[in-house]
Amino acid sequence: MDIFNLTFMSALFASGVRQAVPLIFGSTGDCVSEKSGVLGIGIEGEMLFGALFAYIAALKTGSLWAGVLCGGLAGMVSALIPALWAVLLQQDQSITCIMFNIFAAGFTNFINRIVFGTNIANIPVPTFSNIPIPLLSKIPFVGEVFFNQSLLTYLSFVSAFVTFFVMKKTKLGLQLTSVGEDPRVAQASGINVYRFRILCFMFCGFMAGLAGASLTLGSIGTFTEGITSGRGFICLTIVILARWNPLIAILASLGFGSVEALQIRLQVLGSSLPYQFLIALPYLITVVVLAIGGSNLRSPKKLGVPFDKESR
Amino acid sequence: MKRLLAALLSVLMFVSLCACSGNKDKGEEASDRTTVSKIAVVLPGSITDESWNQSAYEGLMDIKKAGYETAYTENVDVSNAESVVRSYCSEGYDFVIAHGAQYGQAVCNVAPDYNNVNFFITGNAPEDIAEADLPKNIMFADYRECEGAYVSGVLAALMTKSGKVGYIGGGNNTTQQSDKNAFIEGVRSVSADVEISTVITGTFDDSNLGYETAKAMNEAGVDVILQTCDHTGLGALQYCSEKGVYCIGYTSDQSSLVNGDIMLTSMMIDIPFMISSQIDAIKAGNYGGQTFPGLHDGVVSMSKFSPEVSEEVAAKVNAVIESISKGDLVITPNYSEN
């Protein structure tokens, strides 16, 4: 088909990159949290908090960056709720986080209705516009796909790179690994495991908040209830696929976003495949890749195991 | 402490068991269904969606203002619908509204157990149940939303400059499928050459996906878009508003959601009226069966055309609306999926 030309492909992948942004933020945060041994299942809820408060702040202050910051902070503060139970009170991490997600879904709707009421549409705020990077954006194809995006998109890439660097090349990264692999040894070497894990979890919350902010301020400029639509859970899968490595997580996010962009375009072009199959396509591919690439998976040894410094 | 808690919980459980059994012996005795006092609505989405669910909520609020006791549950999955409907019945609600054709099966399962309760479904009856086997205490309002979709198709085909029009749906229920098919039929009635692209997003909540879908359509040359998918549709409207792409709104007059005059019209469904008018129907007796409200009785209507629509086009579209309301042109809902 001549329709699959360069313009089509660059539009396809540019859409893939846009849809990958919340996934990159979220999975970067979750990499850190899971490396420290705490499952970041609450990421869906933290994302919702981030999305709502980013929108409210952007609307009230008129500044998009204030919105992004507030979104991140809202995600971070909300992450304290599951952190309290999962780390300090040593409860089951999955259950606390799932409860938190349900709470977040209801509570963000509640706040949304208190602030804006149910009768009027939320007023859209201006969204991040595309800022082409000089020179780089002139590269054919790649320039259009990666270097003609919004600042928020660049920020997501930068944050993943920085996180990767800190995880792999610094003492902090080493401490992170030790807390997730063997918290007892880490404790013995003088790390406060509780504090460390909570800080990692809060970092994850902050990134999830940015992911939420990118959902509301990235292209649509408003908050709608349940706006995350399960993206937090996709992040969890991406982290496993990427083997707790933020750089591979970028690739996985881009893959997921691009397949989503592709399925929309296949429908637009009138593909003869049933639409149910196309809607399921991104998830189907994720499952298949996980099945193929999931063997010899080595997760952080104490992932999901609450740490109790008094027990043996 | 733990023991005390356990003891308390078991007492609580015992009490709630008693409460359950207490309700059991209603059932058959009263099949007088002409009274109504407590009304509940089961909604598939949230009441702030500017669309399908919000309008049902507004209908319920009209009822509440009239002095009835009301309740509603949002975001009910089809899989949970039966238990939600059942619990409303056992709590003494005597009129239960399930807002969507997807709940048909669940309500058909519950209805025979509660002969004194009236049910209302905003959609068609399940296709796999014979008409004679449908419980008598359910009213199916198989309203002809597709008539509005047909008219939208006609308008879209007359307004497109690129010769490409688009439809974005949320999917997974018969109303949506008939919308899509009627839209296509409407476009085809004007021209055989206009290209139609249709996308079923599979979700009513994902505004970002709606935005990306509208963008993908626009990039493929589509210049008029009809959306019928609530929150997902809001994202699509946002894109249209940004890029000045013609669009058509859904369930209520959505023209205030976009900049300028790009919203050609909205296919409105007077859900508040459809719901609040049921009270009178119940009081009249013999409630149940199927009705087919549509353009002819104002349940489906088109909002005022935007100034972008020329008088000539408006006249053509109005002629179509007129012949549908008179019954000269019959739009049969087509539920086929592809």
Side-chain angles (χ1 to χ4, degrees):
Chain A
M1 270 160 90
D2 63 330
I3 202 121
F4 288 101
N5 54 24
L6 202 61
T7 335
F8 175 81
M9 293 309 271
S10 64
L12 168 73
F13 284 106
S15 167
V17 171
R18 275 196 306 277
Q19 297 192 59
V21 171
L23 303 179
I24 295 175
F25 276 127
S27 52
T28 303
D30 192 41
C31 278
V32 173
S33 161
E34 295 206 1
K35 262 290 190 191
S36 80
V38 190
L39 284 165
I41 298 176
I43 198 167
E44 174 86 4
E46 292 149 19
M47 233 186 232
L48 267 176
F49 273 103
L52 175 63
F53 284 98
Y55 167 66
I56 294 180
L59 184 70
K60 301 286 177 200
T61 63
S63 152
L64 282 177
W65 286 106
V68 171
L69 187 67
C70 261
L73 290 176
M76 190 165 91
V77 171
S78 70
L80 284 172
I81 303 170
L84 174 66
W85 268 273
V87 182
L88 280 187
L89 300 178
Q90 294 147 33
Q91 299 300 307
D92 188 293
Q93 295 174 2
S94 323
I95 292 176
T96 10
C97 287
I98 288 170
M99 294 220 333
F100 169 73
N101 284 342
I102 297 170
F103 161 74
F107 196 66
T108 47
N109 292 358
F110 174 66
I111 299 178
N112 182 37
R113 287 171 198 184
I114 286 185
V115 178
F116 301 106
T118 53
N119 290 329
I120 45 153
N122 290 356
I123 313 144
V125 293
T127 52
F128 280 96
S129 47
N130 286 0
I131 302 203
I133 295 182
L135 294 178
L136 287 176
S137 62
K138 296 284 182 288
I139 309 171
F141 188 70
V142 178
E144 185 53 39
V145 172
F146 288 103
F147 300 112
N148 186 13
Q149 297 279 5
S150 71
L151 286 175
L152 209 53
T153 310
Y154 304 138
L155 181 68
S156 73
F157 283 95
V158 170
S159 65
F161 276 103
V162 170
T163 309
F164 173 78
F165 179 78
V166 172
M167 280 170 77
K168 298 286 170 186
K169 301 285 176 199
T170 64
K171 189 178 155 205
L172 196 63
L174 208 59
Q175 289 177 335
L176 175 69
T177 312
S178 77
V179 167
E181 294 291 332
D182 197 336
R184 198 151 300 283
V185 170
Q187 179 89 10
S189 73
I191 301 170
N192 183 340
V193 174
Y194 294 134
R195 196 173 69 194
F196 202 93
R197 282 190 167 181
I198 288 182
L199 286 176
C200 289
F201 203 77
M202 286 170 70
F203 174 75
C204 175
F206 185 78
M207 296 305 277
L210 294 187
S214 73
L215 284 174
T216 43
L217 307 179
S219 48
I220 57 167
T222 179
F223 175 82
T224 57
E225 294 180 3
I227 192 169
T228 48
S229 298
R231 284 182 178 80
F233 299 112
I234 301 295
C235 291
L236 295 176
T237 328
I238 286 173
V239 168
I240 297 173
L241 261 181
R243 293 182 162 61
W244 297 272
N245 179 333
L247 288 192
I248 309 181
I250 293 186
L251 288 181
S253 305
L254 289 176
F256 188 89
S258 306
V259 177
E260 185 77 275
L262 177 69
Q263 75 90 359
I264 298 173
R265 280 166 176 76
L266 285 177
Q267 287 199 53
V268 168
L269 296 176
S271 148
S272 56
L273 293 165
Y275 74 84
Q276 291 92 339
F277 174 77
L278 291 171
I279 293 172
L281 194 62
Y283 305 91
L284 200 66
I285 289 182
T286 311
V287 171
V288 170
V289 174
L290 208 55
I292 297 169
S295 55
N296 67 43
L297 198 67
R298 215 191 119 316
S299 60
K301 212 166 184 176
K302 295 292 180 190
L303 177 58
V305 183
F307 176 65
D308 178 2
K309 71 179 168 191
E310 265 113 52
S311 78
R312 288 159 179 269
Chain B
M1 185 64 202
K2 266 187 185 163
R3 271 193 197 171
L4 186 68
L5 192 68
L8 269 176
L9 279 176
S10 46
V11 167
L12 196 71
M13 214 148 92
F14 183 71
V15 170
S16 57
L17 273 177
C18 293
C20 286
S21 57
N23 270 351
K24 274 274 153 67
D25 37 77
K26 277 186 185 169
E28 290 294 306
E29 28 114 8
S31 61
D32 169 38
R33 297 191 282 110
T34 54
T35 56
V36 54
S37 58
K38 291 172 81 179
I39 297 133
V41 179
V42 179
L43 299 166
S46 99
I47 59 165
T48 57
D49 67 353
E50 296 295 317
S51 188
W52 178 248
N53 298 287
Q54 183 154 6
S55 50
Y57 172 75
E58 281 161 13
L60 187 69
M61 290 304 108
D62 289 346
I63 295 178
K64 192 176 181 180
K65 267 181 219 143
Y68 295 95
E69 190 179 336
T70 59
Y72 61 95
T73 309
E74 295 169 79
N75 300 312
V76 177
D77 288 335
V78 174
S79 52
N80 287 334
E82 190 171 330
S83 68
V84 175
V85 172
R86 207 173 270 284
S87 62
Y88 273 130
C89 293
S90 63
E91 282 165 28
Y93 283 85
D94 49 13
F95 182 39
V96 179
I97 298 164
H99 193 47
Q102 66 267 43
Y103 296 138
Q105 187 63 52
V107 174
C108 284
N109 293 344
V110 178
D113 299 342
Y114 293 93
N115 284 321
N116 53 340
V117 178
N118 290 302
F119 297 91
F120 176 77
I121 289 177
T122 335
N124 59 306
E127 286 172 304
D128 49 351
I129 301 179
E131 212 179 317
D133 295 338
L134 291 171
K136 298 283 174 281
N137 50 343
I138 308 179
M139 174 74 96
F140 294 92
D142 189 359
Y143 67 98
R144 294 296 151 88
E145 189 171 306
C146 53
E147 294 178 348
Y150 182 92
V151 175
S152 304
V154 172
L155 178 62
L158 292 170
M159 289 301 292
T160 178
K161 294 184 190 98
S162 65
K164 288 179 183 171
V165 298
Y167 166 78
I168 305 177
N172 76 18
N173 71 53
T174 45
T175 311
Q176 295 273 309
Q177 277 138 19
S178 63
D179 278 351
K180 175 178 137 182
N181 292 323
F183 178 75
I184 295 173
E185 225 180 292
V187 175
R188 285 284 164 265
S189 74
V190 175
S191 153
D193 302 325
V194 172
E195 280 182 45
I196 309 165
S197 61
T198 60
V199 173
I200 307 295
T201 55
T203 163
F204 291 91
D205 294 320
D206 195 337
S207 327
N208 279 280
L209 190 63
Y211 181 94
E212 289 295 335
T213 307
K215 188 168 166 68
M217 277 188 173
N218 188 226
E219 281 165 1
V222 169
D223 63 354
V224 187
I225 294 176
L226 166 69
Q227 58 79 23
T228 60
C229 46
D230 309 350
H231 277 152
T232 309
L234 287 184
L237 295 184
Q238 181 61 31
Y239 177 81
C240 293
S241 180
E242 238 170 63
K243 292 283 145 65
V245 178
Y246 286 150
C247 51
I248 298 170
Y250 178 56
T251 61
S252 55
D253 186 351
Q254 293 186 311
S255 56
S256 62
L257 299 178
V258 296
N259 294 330
D261 299 323
I262 56 156
M263 184 165 288
L264 302 176
T265 181
S266 295
M267 52 183 278
M268 301 194 291
I269 298 136
D270 198 345
I271 295 171
F273 171 74
M274 198 154 61
I275 284 180
S276 58
S277 64
Q278 297 307 315
I279 304 288
D280 295 331
I282 290 173
K283 287 184 176 157
N286 277 330
Y287 191 72
Q290 300 189 59
T291 57
F292 306 93
L295 280 171
H296 66 95
D297 48 13
V299 163
V300 177
S301 61
M302 309 306 285
S303 67
K304 195 169 163 284
F305 295 131
S306 116
E308 295 276 325
V309 180
S310 68
E311 272 175 34
E312 187 192 355
V313 171
K316 279 184 190 166
V317 177
N318 281 328
V320 173
I321 295 176
E322 179 127 351
S323 62
I324 294 177
S325 359
K326 275 189 186 155
D328 298 340
L329 177 61
V330 179
I331 313 296
T332 330
N334 173 359
Y335 300 134
S336 76
E337 289 194 350
N338 281 301

